[in-house]
Amino acid sequence: MEEHIRTVVDFLNQWGWIPMLIVYVGVIVTILIENRNPTKTISWVLVIVFLPFLGLILYYLFGQKFSRVQKLKKINQEQASKLTREFKRLEPKMELSLQNIQERIGDFSRVYAYLKNERLSTPTLTNEVKLLVNGEEKFPIFLDDLEQAQHSIHLEYYIFDLDEIGKKVLDVLERKAEQGVRVRVIVDSFGSPKLVRSMRKNKTTKIEFQAFLPVTFSSLANSNYRNHRKIAVIDGKVCYIGGINISDRYINPNSFGLYWRDTSVRIVGSIGTMFQISFWNSWNQTDGESFSLDGGYLHTHFPQVERDTAVALASSDPGSIGPFNMEALLISIGEANRSIKLCSPYFIPTDQLATALKSAAAAGVEVELMIPSRGDSWIVQHASLSFLKPLLERGVKVYLYDKGFLHAKTSVIDGQIAYVGTMNLDIRSFYINYEVSAVISNEAFCLQLDQQFDLDKKDSILITLDEWSKRKTWKRGVDSVCRLLAPLL
């Protein structure tokens, strides 16, 4: 027996490189024939070549275009076909809304036309919006809205922790479900593992609960695709969207000892229909029992508002035919004449976004970007820093938020149009995650975002090109190495 084992070991030592070479060549050929972005292709080839074994594992977990993506594309096509008739029915009304929006904000209205033409969202006008800064502003109002629910509560969150605020929200949901309100909750299985385990054990709850893209050993490779959305729809008319998850971490002060700077928005009005459709699309991609939107979920009567606010939703996912969230933002950046103010916790821009920002700054637009001075991911933070020098050289003003962790995902352009949602300014948000943003046109709201940006600048460090060029060589080297992984992050 021992002699047989030695024979096998000797054979592997002498010839084992052959099957490994076949595996390596096969993986590299697979990467090449997938026709992915050239930069991403080169990055994966380098990872596989220079990180033996580990590179193959990383590629298996995060690199392959699994059949899941094809399935997601098929689901998107099926969902879109179901909505085509509704979009056609609403076509005259949407055209009137677009004319109204164009009269107010001129060429910025092109983004609403884009979202309509891509069948992503109808442009809506009868809305009221309220800016909510940090969890301490959001959660008291959010809990009260949940308590007032009469028909349905739909929540879709990346992180739903079982901490103090999480338990408060869960208690309200349980109570409302007992009262007959239809409560449906989707959480990302990777972002909310404790809640997923807890709800699976709870056999008495009346909450309809689903974990999105469950992570198991057999589906481990698909864990790369995450539902990063954070939305709530109450009775089809009260909606929340932004960067704030359901967790104590987002409320200041907190036990983590870290000031958390984030943004959410409460919207009441006709955009609730698009929020419901967005949730319905996500629900249909889980194992949850399907439901008809005609069952009272689409609110149709809204009170008159003092000043109409244009709102539409920009959404994208791994099955999208294009990076819709990024494209919607690029349309507005291209129309900017005065100012562009962007907040993002992670900044790994595509070439298109980086070029748009540099071109705008070079054309005389005041372009300001705010990112954290200290990120929650060492590699991503250093990769982000590597992208700053070319922006500074073209006149973009870059601020490093230093009071705590900046997690807000907002953009405001010319004080005319704003984006608040779940999308980071990185490749993952543009192409891999499930993301959604509210596109809002309201001068008062945009002014609030502008003012908040200016307040945050007081807690930030303005980078100058001269200072940045003098950074220690080893720091710049670390940034550059991490940047090699940027297309993979």
Side-chain angles (χ1 to χ4, degrees), residues 177-430:
E178 289 287 344
Q179 295 172 4
V181 175
R182 296 301 295 266
V183 179
R184 296 182 178 91
V185 177
I186 302 172
V187 299
D188 184 80
S189 57
F190 187 82
S192 307
K194 290 184 179 179
L195 181 63
V196 172
R197 289 195 294 269
S198 174
M199 294 301 288
R200 283 175 178 168
K201 294 177 183 177
N202 190 342
K203 304 301 182 183
T204 62
T205 182
K206 291 188 176 180
I207 296 173
E208 298 176 59
F209 178 87
Q210 290 295 322
F212 200 88
L213 289 182
V215 179
T216 62
F217 181 79
S218 61
S219 66
L220 193 60
N222 290 322
S223 63
N224 194 33
Y225 307 112
R226 302 316 332 154
N227 188 337
H228 195 239
R229 294 170 180 168
K230 308 152 188 67
I231 67 170
V233 202
I234 302 165
D235 289 343
K237 60 179 179 179
V238 180
C239 311
Y240 287 82
I241 189 172
I244 301 176
N245 286 291
I246 299 175
S247 171
D248 288 345
R249 185 182 298 273
Y250 295 79
I251 304 171
N252 301 302
N254 55 58
S255 59
F256 300 94
L258 177 66
Y259 184 83
W260 199 280
R261 171 66 190 89
D262 218 325
T263 300
S264 183
V265 59
R266 178 181 185 266
I267 311 173
V268 181
S270 53
I271 192 60
T273 293
M274 299 315 305
F275 272 87
Q276 288 286 51
I277 290 174
S278 177
F279 179 88
W280 178 75
N281 278 331
S282 294
W283 185 263
N284 287 340
Q285 296 183 49
T286 72
D287 293 330
E289 183 180 351
S290 186
F291 64 96
S292 172
L293 288 171
D294 293 331
Y297 294 101
L298 302 182
H299 200 81
T300 55
H301 302 290
F302 300 98
Q304 287 296 114
V305 295
E306 184 176 338
R307 176 162 172 73
D308 286 349
T309 298
V311 184
L313 291 185
S315 59
S316 57
D317 60 61
S320 299
I321 62 172
F324 297 132
N325 265 298
M326 181 185 72
E327 291 176 355
L329 180 60
L330 288 176
I331 290 171
S332 295
I333 290 175
E335 298 296 339
N337 289 307
R338 294 185 290 105
S339 65
I340 299 171
K341 297 181 180 181
L342 309 171
C343 284
S344 180
Y346 315 109
F347 184 70
I348 300 179
T350 58
D351 290 341
Q352 299 97 312
L353 177 59
T355 299
L357 296 179
K358 290 184 288 187
S359 299
V365 177
E366 184 180 48
V367 181
E368 297 178 287
L369 168 68
M370 187 177 295
I371 62 176
S373 64
R374 295 176 299 278
D376 62 348
S377 169
W378 188 86
I379 294 178
V380 175
Q381 179 72 5
H382 279 282
S384 296
L385 297 179
S386 73
F387 288 94
L388 300 185
K389 186 177 179 181
L391 298 179
L392 295 170
E393 289 174 334
R394 302 295 290 278
V396 176
K397 294 180 181 178
V398 179
Y399 297 88
L400 299 181
Y401 185 79
D402 202 41
K403 183 177 180 179
F405 182 56
L406 177 75
H407 193 253
K409 309 151 196 306
T410 64
S411 305
V412 58
I413 301 166
D414 278 5
Q416 295 291 310
I417 196 165
Y419 295 73
V420 180
T422 69
M423 178 188 71
N424 300 311
L425 300 180
D426 65 2
I427 294 170
R428 172 164 289 278
S429 280
F430 295 150

Side-chain angles (χ1 to χ4, degrees), residues 444-457:
F445 181 82
C446 290
L447 178 60
Q448 281 184 292
L449 273 181
D450 273 337
Q451 292 172 338
Q452 184 61 50
F453 191 94
D454 291 338
L455 282 174
D456 291 333
K457 287 195 309 190

Side-chain angles (χ1 to χ4, degrees), residues 84-246:
T84 297
R85 182 183 301 176
E86 184 68 9
F87 268 82
K88 287 183 178 179
R89 185 181 69 81
L90 293 173
E91 186 74 27
K93 187 175 182 179
M94 287 191 287
E95 286 300 325
L96 287 174
S97 295
L98 283 174
Q99 291 175 18
N100 187 308
I101 295 171
Q102 185 175 25
E103 290 173 2
R104 298 184 191 179
I105 59 175
D107 288 341
F108 281 117
S109 63
R110 289 177 57 231
V111 70
Y112 292 99
Y114 162 84
L115 296 172
K116 177 186 81 73
N117 293 338
E118 290 288 357
R119 298 291 192 265
L120 296 174
S121 177
T122 61
T124 64
L125 289 170
T126 51
N127 302 288
E128 289 183 339
V129 292
K130 180 177 179 61
L131 181 66
L132 301 171
V133 178
N134 301 338
E136 56 267 29
E137 284 193 11
K138 172 185 173 177
F139 286 115
I141 302 173
F142 180 62
L143 287 169
D144 185 61
D145 281 335
L146 293 177
E147 292 280 11
Q148 302 304 316
Q150 299 295 315
H151 179 268
S152 64
I153 296 173
H154 289 158
L155 305 185
E156 182 176 1
Y157 277 84
Y158 176 63
I159 295 174
F160 193 139
D161 282 339
L162 281 178
D163 50 16
E164 184 175 348
I165 188 61
K167 289 176 181 177
K168 284 183 179 180
V169 172
L170 203 57
D171 287 345
V172 176
L173 297 181
E174 292 280 12
R175 187 164 59 254
K176 300 306 291 188
E178 289 287 344
Q179 295 172 4
V181 175
R182 296 301 295 266
V183 179
R184 296 182 178 91
V185 177
I186 302 172
V187 299
D188 184 80
S189 57
F190 187 82
S192 307
K194 290 184 179 179
L195 181 63
V196 172
R197 289 195 294 269
S198 174
M199 294 301 288
R200 283 175 178 168
K201 294 177 183 177
N202 190 342
K203 304 301 182 183
T204 62
T205 182
K206 291 188 176 180
I207 296 173
E208 298 176 59
F209 178 87
Q210 290 295 322
F212 200 88
L213 289 182
V215 179
T216 62
F217 181 79
S218 61
S219 66
L220 193 60
N222 290 322
S223 63
N224 194 33
Y225 307 112
R226 302 316 332 154
N227 188 337
H228 195 239
R229 294 170 180 168
K230 308 152 188 67
I231 67 170
V233 202
I234 302 165
D235 289 343
K237 60 179 179 179
V238 180
C239 311
Y240 287 82
I241 189 172
I244 301 176
N245 286 291
I246 299 175

Side-chain angles (χ1 to χ4, degrees), residues 43 47 51 348 379 383 480-489:
S43 297
V47 166
L51 294 176
I348 300 179
I379 294 178
S480 298
V481 171
C482 291
R483 180 177 179 145
L484 291 175
L485 299 174
L488 318 180
L489 298 173

